[in-house]
Amino acid sequence: MVRLVFRKFREIGTVSGVLKYLVYHDLQMPVRRLGKKHDQELTWQRPNRMTLLNLLHHPIYAGAYSYGRKKLDPRRQKAGRPYTGQVVQERSNWHAFIPDHFPSYITWDEYLHHQEQLHENQMRRFTKGAPRAGTALLSGLVFCGKCGQRMQSHYNQKCFSYGCSRLNMDYAEPVCQFCVGQPIDRWVVEQVLEALKPASLEVSLTTLQHLERDRKDLEKLWQQRLERAHFEAERCRRQYDRVEPENRLVARTLEREWEEKLTAEQKLKEEYHRFQAAQPRVLSSEDLQRIRDLSQDIPQLWFSTTTTDLERKAILRQVVQKVTVEVQQKSEQVRVDIQWVGGLVTSGTTIKPVAKLEQLSYYPDLMKLVKAHVEQGTLVKDLVNVLNETDFRPPKRIRMWNITAVRSLIRRAQKVGGTQQSLPVPLGHWWRLKDLASWLGMPGITLHRWVTMEQVLAKRNEKGKWLVWADETEVLRLRKIRQTPRSEVNRNKWLEQFTSKKPSG
Ligand SMILES: [Zn+2]
């Protein structure tokens, strides 16, 4: 197993690649459990990023004995998790280092090479992560509306996005959801600027006071419940104390009752702590003053060229506690909830750009409308005007319909209405690339990319042209992938779905 990991790392070069490989082949990893209780017992666990990284970084697999490789940094330690907060030291700072001490899986040179590769990967990620097209202002504040995990910010050349990808990164599970970041940031900033306008701010602060009052009432109720529970436990104790020792039977009954009351009291206390923990941050009078001050000059401050993104982030954090995002399946709508500091919530929907017409939530209605006009014989240029007066917008955040876009709509409408052709079956299910692409209604170049990525089964004919294999099930699978938003198609899904029976030839 260990050998396999090293071999795969040499081949693939990234930890996430190795992880995906292990997950795909349903392989488990051996892990020695630490701590007195487990006595270094060997267990098999599903592969994860941390275990792989430990394996690749540890010099023992290259036969070296080392001591003092990691040092505890109490500031990084997480409460209740004794093994966290370890920081790897430079090799010169290790307490002991003896090469060639144990039998090894890899040579020392290979080990060094791996370290270099890991370092390089990390640097690449950092430079890739350098914000080029604006910064994700909400990074760290965005939570997944589906599973509740914190979402990560991802950057690429043109834009940034928020992804719920923790489980993907750590365990190579499918990405939970993914969304382009700018529309979310823009919407939240709009709400923040609106909320900080003096007029709306006073309304919010009054509401907040009401909320605070409710919370105080609740708190009072809790205190009463706690007192009652405590009083009952105490009464039982006193009764128990008063029983004469010879009344053993009575004593036993009372003892049991006392124990029950104590347990109930303990349970109530725990519940109360949970209640407290779930309460939003209470605003102190200084907090309120700071927010009022902020509201005086926020618009100038926000749009000023001298204000940095870091400062904008700081402003947002003064008022926003968290933002929950839920992408509505395969459509352009994203539900966003802003939880303000203090506990108020603002909900709304924003639009993320989708690449394809079919992903628009109003696609069926749009097609119905277009079809009706086609049947009436409306001219293309009139239809452009008709559509521009409706709320239907083209995909990719394009504002207006134009002639080309409407023509393509009409073609679609005619196809939808026309008789569905039956599947042409080429010899042995081997299609010419061009034919299959046009049957799937996709550009040939995209299908060609799938061929080069080995996502489809393909071979060259005697003239060197690509032939792609697809039976009926495979055509359905490809069509499904084609309709999935690109962000949701990851390699895993590709592989999982490729279950069609493949030809032997
Ligand atoms: Zn999620």
Side-chain angles (χ1 to χ4, degrees):
M1 183 67 210
V2 175
R3 266 179 229 289
L4 178 73
V5 168
F6 283 114
R7 200 174 65 229
K8 279 291 151 195
F9 184 71
R10 269 198 299 278
E11 270 172 43
I12 305 171
T14 63
V15 174
S16 59
V18 178
L19 183 58
K20 275 182 192 154
Y21 176 86
L22 296 178
V23 170
Y24 178 64
H25 291 282
D26 205 8
L27 295 172
Q28 302 238 310
M29 287 189 67
V31 176
R32 289 219 180 270
R33 298 180 71 184
L34 297 173
K36 274 191 194 125
K37 205 165 70 189
H38 305 299
D39 199 23
Q40 298 237 334
E41 167 198 4
L42 187 74
T43 55
W44 291 84
Q45 289 182 354
R46 68 169 174 164
N48 65 68
R49 192 180 176 77
M50 269 332 271
T51 318
L52 281 178
L53 276 174
N54 282 338
L55 197 86
L56 290 164
H57 277 306
H58 208 300
I60 199 168
Y61 299 99
Y65 171 81
S66 64
Y67 183 72
R69 206 166 60 87
K70 289 181 184 175
K71 215 171 171 179
L72 185 79
D73 180 353
R75 283 169 308 173
R76 294 199 187 191
Q77 203 165 25
K78 289 185 186 146
R81 294 174 58 192
Y83 295 112
T84 53
Q86 303 278 349
V87 180
V88 177
Q89 304 293 306
E90 289 281 323
R91 193 160 1 120
S92 52
N93 291 343
W94 295 359
H95 295 313
F97 172 65
I98 311 169
D100 300 323
H101 190 73
F102 301 111
S104 64
Y105 289 95
I106 51 170
T107 66
W108 186 247
D109 280 345
E110 278 173 317
Y111 172 80
L112 292 179
H113 181 71
H114 289 171
Q115 301 314 303
E116 233 166 72
Q117 174 84 49
L118 288 166
H119 182 70
E120 221 170 81
N121 292 352
Q122 205 178 11
M123 291 326 283
R124 198 171 311 141
R125 217 175 39 237
F126 274 132
T127 45
K128 207 172 88 189
R132 285 188 198 130
T135 320
L137 290 174
L138 298 171
S139 73
L141 290 179
V142 184
F143 287 76
C144 173
K146 291 186 180 162
C147 70
Q149 297 247 19
R150 195 188 292 271
M151 290 173 86
Q152 282 79 40
S153 326
H154 303 266
Y155 292 94
N156 66 25
Q157 306 281 359
K158 281 193 205 141
C159 61
F160 65 88
S161 43
Y162 297 113
C164 179
S165 45
R166 187 81 259 163
L167 290 176
N168 175 265
M169 274 151 58
D170 287 352
Y171 295 101
E173 286 193 1
V175 174
C176 176
Q177 60 168 355
F178 207 81
C179 181
V180 179
Q182 278 93 343
I184 298 175
D185 274 22
R186 205 175 308 137
W187 188 79
V188 171
V189 167
E190 264 168 34
Q191 303 304 315
V192 168
L193 292 180
E194 185 60 42
L196 282 176
K197 277 186 188 156
S200 25
L201 184 66
E202 285 316 312
V203 175
S204 316
L205 290 181
T206 321
T207 324
L208 209 60
Q209 274 165 7
H210 293 169
L211 215 75
E212 201 98 314
R213 207 178 48 209
D214 291 352
R215 206 177 297 154
K216 279 200 182 118
D217 288 347
L218 276 178
E219 176 71 32
K220 213 187 284 168
L221 286 175
W222 266 108
Q223 288 308 333
Q224 285 168 0
R225 279 178 78 185
L226 286 169
E227 262 168 43
R228 206 156 46 231
H230 181 69
F231 172 78
E232 278 178 19
E234 270 300 288
R235 199 187 48 191
C236 283
R237 185 185 61 81
R238 268 181 275 125
Q239 276 175 343
Y240 175 76
D241 283 348
R242 252 180 282 149
V243 177
E244 300 297 330
E246 49 268 30
N247 278 338
R248 245 179 270 151
L249 203 64
V250 179
R252 222 173 288 148
T253 320
L254 283 174
E255 190 184 353
R256 203 168 46 233
E257 212 172 297
W258 180 26
E259 241 169 56
E260 276 167 14
K261 296 286 181 206
L262 277 178
T263 321
E265 189 192 355
Q266 188 54 35
K267 234 166 114 186
L268 199 66
K269 270 188 191 160
E270 282 163 14
E271 247 174 71
Y272 172 62
H273 288 312
R274 271 199 296 277
F275 159 77
Q276 270 188 322
Q279 292 304 302
R281 199 175 107 198
V282 178
L283 290 173
S284 65
S285 49
E286 291 101 71
D287 284 336
L288 289 176
Q289 195 48 50
R290 219 172 29 238
I291 291 174
R292 280 205 175 93
D293 292 347
L294 204 60
S295 110
Q296 291 304 316
D297 35 40
I298 186 90
Q300 297 95 307
L301 198 64
W302 189 270
F303 295 108
S304 159
T305 42
T306 50
T307 306
T308 63
D309 277 340
L310 215 62
E311 287 161 334
R312 292 196 181 95
K313 275 187 180 181
I315 294 176
L316 284 178
R317 275 156 186 72
Q318 290 281 332
V319 288
V320 175
Q321 186 153 4
K322 78 189 224 187
V323 173
T324 315
V325 170
E326 191 176 346
V327 178
Q328 309 298 312
Q329 259 309 304
K330 292 179 191 171
S331 86
E332 78 291 2
Q333 297 190 347
V334 184
R335 191 197 149 86
V336 187
D337 291 328
I338 304 176
Q339 191 178 326
W340 304 95
V341 168
L344 297 177
V345 177
T346 302
S347 306
T349 314
T350 172
I351 306 291
K352 69 163 184 165
V354 294
K356 294 173 203 147
L357 265 171
E358 299 91 324
Q359 288 169 356
L360 296 168
S361 57
Y362 44 80
Y363 176 69
D365 293 335
L366 174 68
M367 287 322 278
K368 240 182 252 167
L369 182 73
V370 173
K371 226 174 117 188
H373 277 279
V374 168
E375 277 161 14
Q376 280 170 27
T378 311
L379 292 174
V380 179
K381 68 176 196 314
D382 294 336
L383 188 52
V384 173
N385 294 334
V386 169
L387 287 179
N388 278 333
E389 269 164 35
T390 63
D391 288 334
F392 301 137
R393 290 287 139 249
K396 300 184 187 169
R397 290 182 80 81
I398 299 170
R399 288 182 169 273
M400 300 301 244
W401 295 98
N402 60 20
I403 298 256
T404 325
V406 172
R407 282 223 178 94
S408 108
L409 273 184
I410 294 175
R411 269 199 304 276
R412 269 168 195 269
Q414 285 165 337
K415 224 184 262 174
V416 173
T419 48
Q420 197 73 38
Q421 294 161 273
S422 61
L423 189 72
V425 185
L427 195 63
H429 298 296
W430 286 102
W431 300 61
R432 288 195 307 178
L433 193 141
K434 211 172 65 190
D435 294 345
L436 182 58
S438 99
W439 180 253
L440 292 169
M442 62 190 283
I445 190 150
T446 310
L447 184 58
H448 185 260
R449 199 177 63 235
W450 292 4
V451 168
T452 51
M453 283 162 69
E454 294 181 14
Q455 312 292 13
V456 289
L457 198 64
K459 65 177 183 187
R460 287 180 190 275
N461 67 8
E462 58 282 2
K463 288 181 196 154
K465 298 259 185 215
W466 279 112
L467 295 176
V468 183
W469 180 88
D471 64 356
E472 221 159 300
T473 338
E474 177 69 354
V475 167
L476 284 180
R477 179 186 81 101
L478 294 177
R479 184 159 285 157
K480 210 163 118 199
I481 292 173
R482 180 68 192 145
Q483 282 161 359
T484 313
R486 200 177 309 163
S487 54
E488 284 176 28
V489 180
N490 65 29
R491 215 182 145 72
N492 267 337
K493 279 193 187 155
W494 275 105
L495 292 168
E496 268 166 35
Q497 288 162 354
F498 195 37
T499 48
S500 261
K501 48 186 189 320
K502 296 173 207 170
S504 44

